Amino acid sequence: MAATVAVENLNPKVLKCEYAVRGEIVIHAQRLQQQLQTQPGSLPFDEILYCNIGNPQSLGQQPVTFFREVLALCDHPYLLQRDEIKSLFSADSISRAKQILASIPGKATGAYSHSQGIKGLRDTIAAGITSRDGFPANADDIFLTDGASPGVHLMMQLLIRNEKDGILVPIPQYPLYSASIALHGGALVPYYLNESTGWGLEISDVKKQLEDARSKGIDVRALVVINPGNPTGQVLAEENQYDIVKFCKNEGLVLLADEVYQENIYVDNKKFHSFKKIVRSLGYGEEDLPLVSYQSVSKGYYGECGKRGGYMEITGFSAPVREQIYKIASVNLCSNISGQILASLIMNPPKAGDESYASYKAEKDGIIASLTRRAKSLEDAFNKLDGITCNEAEGAMYLFPQLSLPQKAIEAAKAANKAPDAFYALRLLESTGIVVVPGSGFGQVPGTWHFRCTILPQEEKIPAIISRFKVFHEAFMAEYHD
Amino acid sequence: MGRKGLDYEDLNENVKKVQYAVRGELYLRASELQKEGKRIIFTNVGNPHALGQKPLTFPRQVVALCQAPFLLDDPNVGLIFPADAIARAKHYLAMAPGGLGAYSDSRGIPGVRKEVAEFIQRRDGYPSDPELIYLTDGASKGVMQMLNAIIRNDRDGILVPVPQYPLYSAAISLFGGSLVPYYLDEEANWGLDLVNTRQSVAAARSNGITVRAMVIINPGNPTGQCLSEANLREILNFCYQENLVLLADEVYQQNVYQDERPFISARKVLFDMGGPISREVQLISFHTVSKGYWGECGQRGGYFEMTNIPPKTVDEIYKVASIALSPNVPGQIFMGLMMNPPKPGDISYLKFATESKSILDSLRRRAQIMTDGFNSCRNVVCNFTEGAMYSFPQIRLPQRAMDTARSAGKEPDVFYCLKLLEATGISTVPGSGFGQKEGVFHLRTTILPAEEDMPAIMSSFKKFNDSFMEQYQDYSKL
């Protein structure tokens, strides 16, 4: 009896989609890691260094204490009845937990909430957005989700009717977008970021790509912008953002603003401006431009990836469309409550005068300062090597160096049936234990090669990573020199 | 260019087709009334903690400690946490490098999946492979992933029980497949009717549908029936003959309120059957921390287990799971704790066992109270809730009620439920949200309101119902 669920008869969209961040190189790394455990000494390195994924706490970054205090109290509210907690928890974490629990019907953190998330938490988030932007935000526009990614999938589901519906996506991009578009059967319409101008976005290029797609019969529905960029790390200049918003309005595009790295900025000459703020600064209201803004608890200085907390703020959509968005959200009932609470905490952290403020600020500043240093050390180290150039990481958590691979290396890769950057990344892994993601996983100008490396390994490990990398790279280039 | 960004007309048609009555019209109306100050009793969704059920203590202690590991370093931690909770928190933190804040393996923490496998082995007597167990943010996400993998186009059909939990119909609409209904037999306590099922499959095939999978919900939702071993054998044989993958939604396996048909997993029966069938029938089994006596809906903890799925298919499923990066870690720990609860001899065992038993015994009593209460009402017939969390009484509406409903532009059961809501504050879900035979109406309510509130709720219902029936009685029949 033929198996009914076999690769031959799976949904072809599932077969088509790819996600390199946890793809082939990483699977291989996991095998090597097991090998290190079962046969110590069998490899030229003694640990695998995962630089493939923006997962800070897996590499030793500590969670923000105040947030965890509040979450623990909300997980086990019985604690609030015990006097002993005064010596274990800060007073403001206790009062914040009480306030949050009071906003949850029955204080039941184990109950499904409203499908958009607990109202009181959405109020807090809306207030945080308002305070950040200087323009009002509405709790009814907020949908709390299990991380930002489900919100991206929801919009792709809504927007993509068939293979002729296109979504403009930056190249290089975070491959959730390409995977989601493939899964939902749409067309990815690429617009290339300019590596020579620090991964700048030229509206004229985007317009060209849009018109090109339309001439091929693609109905372009939306524009994805990732700011700060992933994998590219650039922070958009404000003028650039104005151009983008006007472009979307003129072309009738939905603007999907992935802003999950909004609190990862490492340079003084750039600031994060939310697209919501930009839209409102231009005087555009609800009738003018549909905008979805994504935020997550996974990044920033909080780095709480495992909690799966995030939200999307939807503005500029008609009531019937909003109903559909709500309806789809309701099929999953709600996102996890602990993640919802955390989303409200990051948008309303301790303020000056609060008991926990000093320690909170020290933790936050410490993490950002360390990320800034690590971004710089790694960037400098890559730039010092022949055959590698690396743009600055103005924000986010990654570096995306370009490799000038010798022709012989490219041929060797071809013979091994691998993309040249994947070939390089595999050799890097096997020589050093360092795991990066080949640039082909993110998209790049054809004929150029890159890899994405996170800036997340602990600071003490960075010198060893740099020196091991240097040894490998120089040997590789020597092996394949023309 | 004056193009509008996104109009209703421009949306994906599949999205527009989706319906999910559990949080649909009745719930929205109930929420409106609640805002206006009316007291509402929400019985629209299986959400025990929202109706006063307390969380079990031990899991909350463990997760709180995992959430704030600095507590473990404090010399006073033993004053407010029992030693076994402390030990268990350390056990999970050791399994999760980076703690609760790191993405885990996309399939879930290996150590937790091992606990799930061990639970399955103890429950069924057959070994289970942790590599084929994937933790998900609630069972629903796993159902969605599997249906998305199976459904290629509108000619792929999925056999779904009627009545069903409308996640299935919603997912099939969303992914553009075809729902092939098989009717449960209300007269036989919502029993399986394989003759009817075969007819459905034949009809679907004659319409060009390739029937790919069969969904069973055991214990049933909304119907509560528990499948017998013989039923499961029939179903498995049927799937084998018809080349269907079996999707076994077993999320209510802890909620069983009669002793004739205890829960038996589809997997156990499959392996008991032995022979080629046990190696060839493809099976996906779903479970969750949301139901049972745990009721931890808000944690979003679930898993699916794959049996006889080819390795390449497993790779594709892994790939899709990896795009979501990982299920939420606290939810995974709740699952580990449910699979590996306190044992006799553990410090927390007595309290855990007492709390659990108290909840289960109360659910059993409430299942009976509700069934009896509905059966005492005029024109209402209600099968006993053998399992799960719901009651699904049949409401025999007089012709005049149906006519009035239709002229108000409403389905008769929706009309009845709205009137019930407005009169009593009881917020139910009309049977049309789950599927029912043409012209036969039901509503779904939960057995979850607090036991002490039950008599008042049932009497409020009876008062409304009997007066409704009186009002719409077809006097021409007299």
Side-chain angles (χ1 to χ4, degrees):
Chain A
M1 219 352 81
T4 182
V5 168
V7 161
E8 299 76 59
N9 53 27
L10 285 182
N11 180 355
K13 295 178 234 174
V14 164
L15 297 173
K16 187 170 165 221
C17 78
E18 284 175 332
Y19 186 71
V21 174
R22 276 200 162 166
E24 192 192 326
I25 294 265
V26 181
I27 293 170
H28 189 57
Q30 285 161 345
R31 269 185 243 123
L32 292 178
Q33 188 168 38
Q34 277 193 307
Q35 187 181 329
L36 280 175
Q37 280 171 350
T38 55
Q39 303 160 55
S42 62
L43 293 167
F45 47 84
D46 17 63
E47 64 174 326
I48 298 287
L49 286 155
Y50 288 100
C51 300
N52 60 301
I53 181 175
N55 195 11
Q57 294 190 29
S58 74
L59 294 167
Q61 181 173 309
Q62 293 303 300
V64 172
T65 306
F66 178 79
F67 297 157
R68 292 302 190 91
E69 287 179 298
V70 174
L71 289 169
L73 290 166
C74 291
D75 274 336
H76 190 36
Y78 162 78
L79 292 171
L80 292 166
Q81 298 167 32
R82 299 288 300 256
D83 279 334
E84 294 94 329
I85 62 164
K86 294 197 185 104
S87 65
L88 291 164
F89 292 86
S90 59
D92 52 349
S93 72
I94 292 170
S95 61
R96 183 75 77 96
K98 286 181 177 166
Q99 183 205 341
I100 287 170
L101 287 166
S103 74
I104 298 175
K107 301 191 183 172
T109 53
Y112 293 126
S113 70
H114 185 285
S115 293
Q116 284 179 241
I118 292 158
K119 175 70 167 42
L121 300 177
R122 286 185 281 127
D123 287 335
T124 302
I125 291 168
I129 294 170
T130 304
S131 143
R132 179 194 69 195
D133 293 346
F135 291 96
N138 197 321
D140 291 339
D141 293 342
I142 292 165
F143 284 71
L144 285 155
T145 49
D146 288 306
S149 300
V152 171
H153 285 301
L154 193 153
M155 288 311 300
M156 294 304 174
Q157 212 153 50
L158 207 73
L159 289 168
I160 296 170
R161 295 163 295 187
N162 52 54
E163 68 278 3
K164 292 226 166 315
D165 278 335
I167 311 285
L168 275 160
V169 172
I171 299 296
Q173 47 104 39
Y174 173 51
L176 164 67
Y177 294 97
S178 47
S180 189
I181 292 165
L183 266 176
H184 296 106
L188 190 154
V189 179
Y191 67 91
Y192 290 86
L193 300 174
N194 189 341
E195 189 161 10
S196 63
T197 62
W199 298 113
L201 186 160
E202 308 294 328
I203 281 292
S204 53
D205 284 347
V206 185
K207 192 168 162 71
K208 202 148 115 333
Q209 292 297 112
L210 169 66
E211 285 166 352
D212 187 60
R214 282 180 176 157
S215 72
K216 293 189 177 119
I218 302 286
D219 188 348
V220 183
R221 312 293 306 278
L223 172 72
V224 172
V225 182
I226 309 173
N227 182 45
N230 176 6
T232 44
Q234 83 289 11
V235 177
L236 291 171
E238 214 175 338
E239 312 81 66
N240 220 183
Q241 289 182 276
Y242 284 120
D243 291 339
I244 291 165
V245 169
K246 288 179 197 161
F247 175 75
C248 287
K249 176 152 162 55
N250 292 338
E251 299 293 343
L253 302 172
V254 177
L255 178 53
L256 301 175
D258 178 338
E259 300 178 325
V260 303
Y261 295 100
Q262 57 187 265
E263 303 219 58
N264 298 99
I265 312 278
Y266 310 129
V267 294
D268 296 322
N269 63 334
K270 289 276 180 72
K271 285 210 157 10
F272 171 74
H273 303 285
S274 78
F275 270 100
K276 170 91 177 309
K277 179 170 95 166
I278 299 292
V279 167
R280 292 287 181 264
S281 309
L282 281 169
Y284 294 155
E286 279 293 315
E287 299 299 307
D288 293 301
L289 179 67
L291 166 67
V292 182
S293 310
Y294 295 99
Q295 166 61 317
S296 170
V297 306
S298 300
K299 311 301 175 190
Y301 57 90
Y302 18 90
E304 294 275 22
C305 301
K307 298 300 180 58
R308 315 315 279 123
Y311 69 79
M312 54 184 196
E313 181 191 13
I314 65 169
T315 54
F317 292 90
S318 65
V321 174
R322 292 169 66 98
E323 273 166 31
Q324 295 299 311
I325 294 172
Y326 170 83
K327 182 179 72 178
I328 298 301
S330 79
V331 177
N332 193 50
L333 285 155
C334 73
S335 65
N336 84 80
I337 307 301
S338 183
Q340 292 188 31
I341 293 172
L342 185 52
S344 79
L345 290 170
I346 67 163
M347 296 305 288
N348 183 22
K351 311 249 179 321
D354 294 350
E355 177 187 320
S356 297
Y357 180 70
S359 57
Y360 154 81
K361 185 110 191 355
E363 286 174 345
K364 172 182 174 180
D365 291 348
I367 288 166
I368 297 291
S370 172
L371 286 166
T372 306
R373 287 191 297 270
R374 284 177 273 168
K376 211 64 187 118
S377 308
L378 284 166
E379 180 209 328
D380 288 346
F382 286 134
N383 276 315
K384 284 204 180 86
L385 297 170
D386 275 333
I388 299 191
T389 54
C390 186
N391 279 339
E392 182 177 28
E394 297 181 330
M397 289 178 174
Y398 315 96
L399 288 164
F400 199 63
Q402 186 181 153
L403 293 162
S404 299
L405 291 171
Q407 191 55 36
K408 277 208 197 127
I410 294 175
E411 281 156 16
K414 202 166 173 196
N417 205 18
K418 293 220 174 304
D421 47 15
F423 179 75
Y424 180 94
L426 187 57
R427 289 284 303 273
L428 171 68
L429 166 62
E430 289 173 342
S431 315
T432 65
I434 298 170
V435 191
V436 299
V437 187
S440 36
F442 303 88
Q444 52 206 343
V445 168
T448 66
W449 312 109
H450 301 78
F451 61 89
R452 188 187 80 168
C453 179
T454 71
I455 61 172
L456 301 175
Q458 284 299 84
E459 238 171 316
E460 316 84 76
K461 292 218 154 96
I462 299 283
I465 290 175
I466 289 174
S467 69
R468 263 196 264 167
F469 190 97
K470 178 173 148 77
V471 166
F472 160 76
H473 178 80
E474 288 173 349
F476 182 94
M477 296 303 254
E479 181 183 344
Y480 292 105
H481 82 274
D482 295 315
Chain B
M1 243 210 190
R3 272 201 65 180
K4 274 305 279 272
L6 186 63
D7 286 336
Y8 179 78
E9 294 71 51
D10 301 328
L11 293 182
N12 178 359
E13 286 303 315
N14 289 345
V15 164
K16 292 187 220 172
K17 282 186 194 141
V18 168
Q19 287 180 319
Y20 186 69
V22 172
R23 280 208 163 161
E25 185 184 353
L26 253 298
Y27 169 73
L28 292 170
R29 180 74 186 123
S31 304
E32 268 169 37
L33 289 170
Q34 187 180 47
K35 278 197 196 130
E36 291 167 19
K38 190 175 175 72
R39 183 175 165 252
I40 303 293
I41 303 149
F42 285 98
T43 71
N44 58 306
V45 65
N47 197 11
H49 294 199
L51 290 158
Q53 181 176 311
K54 297 272 164 271
L56 300 170
T57 307
F58 185 75
R60 293 305 189 98
Q61 291 170 326
V62 174
V63 176
L65 286 167
C66 291
Q67 194 79 259
F70 63 80
L71 291 171
L72 293 167
D73 297 331
D74 193 295
N76 290 326
V77 66
L79 292 175
I80 50 176
F81 291 93
D84 55 353
I86 293 168
R88 193 70 85 92
K90 290 180 178 167
H91 158 87
Y92 287 115
L93 287 171
M95 279 184 194
L100 265 51
Y103 294 127
S104 72
D105 184 310
S106 297
R107 296 162 289 193
I109 295 166
V112 173
R113 285 152 56 218
K114 187 155 166 291
E115 288 180 315
V116 175
E118 287 164 357
F119 162 82
I120 292 169
Q121 171 141 11
R122 282 192 310 272
R123 181 193 67 191
D124 296 346
Y126 294 103
S128 169
D129 183 358
E131 294 299 289
L132 296 173
I133 293 167
Y134 284 27
L135 305 179
T136 51
D137 284 314
S140 298
K141 290 250 164 86
V143 168
M144 290 262 191
Q145 275 176 34
M146 293 314 306
L147 287 172
N148 189 37
I150 293 170
I151 296 170
R152 294 165 297 186
N153 53 50
D154 60 5
R155 287 179 313 287
D156 275 339
I158 310 288
L159 263 169
V160 173
V162 179
Q164 46 104 38
Y165 173 52
L167 165 68
Y168 294 96
S169 47
I172 292 165
S173 290
L174 201 54
F175 302 133
S178 277
L179 191 152
V180 180
Y182 69 92
Y183 286 83
L184 301 175
D185 186 353
E186 188 163 11
E187 255 83 285
N189 211 43
W190 297 114
L192 179 72
D193 176 357
L194 259 191
V195 171
N196 173 275
T197 310
R198 281 185 211 285
Q199 284 168 347
S200 287
V201 171
R205 283 176 179 158
S206 69
N207 283 333
I209 304 285
T210 307
V211 185
R212 304 285 308 281
M214 179 175 187
V215 173
I216 59 169
I217 310 174
N218 181 39
N221 176 5
T223 44
Q225 85 289 7
C226 298
L227 292 170
S228 67
E229 188 176 346
N231 279 158
L232 287 163
R233 282 177 180 255
E234 277 184 296
I235 289 164
L236 288 160
N237 268 318
F238 179 71
C239 289
Y240 181 62
Q241 287 150 17
E242 303 296 336
N243 207 19
L244 308 172
V245 61
L246 182 60
L247 304 175
D249 177 339
E250 298 175 331
V251 302
Y252 295 101
Q253 57 187 270
Q254 288 174 357
N255 302 101
V256 176
Y257 312 127
Q258 41 70 39
D259 302 316
E260 292 76 39
R261 276 175 303 288
F263 172 75
I264 310 174
S265 79
R267 192 167 187 272
K268 176 184 196 312
V269 176
L270 180 64
F271 289 149
D272 284 346
M273 289 166 89
I277 188 177
S278 70
R279 289 186 295 276
E280 292 179 31
V281 169
Q282 295 182 321
L283 167 66
I284 319 278
S285 312
F286 300 93
H287 200 8
T288 181
V289 304
S290 301
K291 311 299 177 192
Y293 48 88
W294 282 60
E296 291 279 11
C297 302
Q299 309 301 343
R300 311 326 308 260
Y303 76 74
F304 61 87
E305 182 193 21
M306 297 177 276
T307 302
N308 296 332
I309 305 293
K312 285 208 180 116
T313 305
V314 175
D315 289 344
E316 293 297 325
I317 291 165
Y318 171 77
K319 182 180 71 176
V320 173
S322 76
I323 300 170
L325 286 158
S326 101
N328 88 77
V329 177
Q332 296 187 43
I333 294 175
F334 271 95
M335 181 56 80
L337 287 161
M338 188 171 87
M339 298 285 97
N340 183 16
K343 295 179 190 28
D346 292 353
I347 296 166
S348 298
Y349 175 71
L350 199 56
K351 182 167 195 176
F352 179 85
T354 308
E355 287 173 345
S356 308
K357 186 171 186 304
S358 159
I359 291 167
L360 268 179
D361 288 350
S362 173
L363 284 166
R364 191 180 265 239
R365 288 190 298 270
R366 283 179 275 169
Q368 195 65 63
I369 293 171
M370 238 184 183
T371 307
D372 293 346
F374 283 128
N375 279 317
S376 79
C377 296
R378 198 161 144 192
N379 293 346
V380 178
V381 171
C382 189
N383 282 334
F384 175 62
T385 294
E386 298 186 346
M389 285 180 174
Y390 311 97
S391 189
F392 198 63
Q394 186 187 139
I395 316 288
R396 293 180 173 162
L397 294 167
Q399 190 60 46
R400 274 185 52 224
M402 295 197 274
D403 294 341
T404 311
R406 294 205 167 102
S407 50
K410 297 245 174 269
E411 279 301 295
D413 50 3
V414 175
F415 178 76
Y416 176 93
C417 290
L418 282 168
K419 291 274 177 227
L420 169 67
L421 169 65
E422 281 157 14
T424 66
I426 300 170
S427 173
T428 58
V429 188
S432 43
F434 304 88
Q436 52 205 351
K437 281 209 173 99
E438 182 79 39
V440 184
F441 302 105
H442 305 79
L443 58 81
R444 188 188 81 165
T445 179
T446 67
I447 60 169
L448 300 174
E451 214 171 327
E452 57 270 20
D453 295 338
M454 276 287 187
I457 290 172
M458 294 317 293
S459 97
S460 169
F461 178 88
K462 184 172 163 65
K463 182 160 169 250
F464 159 80
N465 176 78
D466 291 0
S467 106
F468 179 98
M469 294 304 172
E470 178 65 40
Q471 182 187 351
Y472 289 99
Q473 184 63 48
D474 185 2
Y475 287 106
S476 70
K477 291 235 174 89
L478 294 179

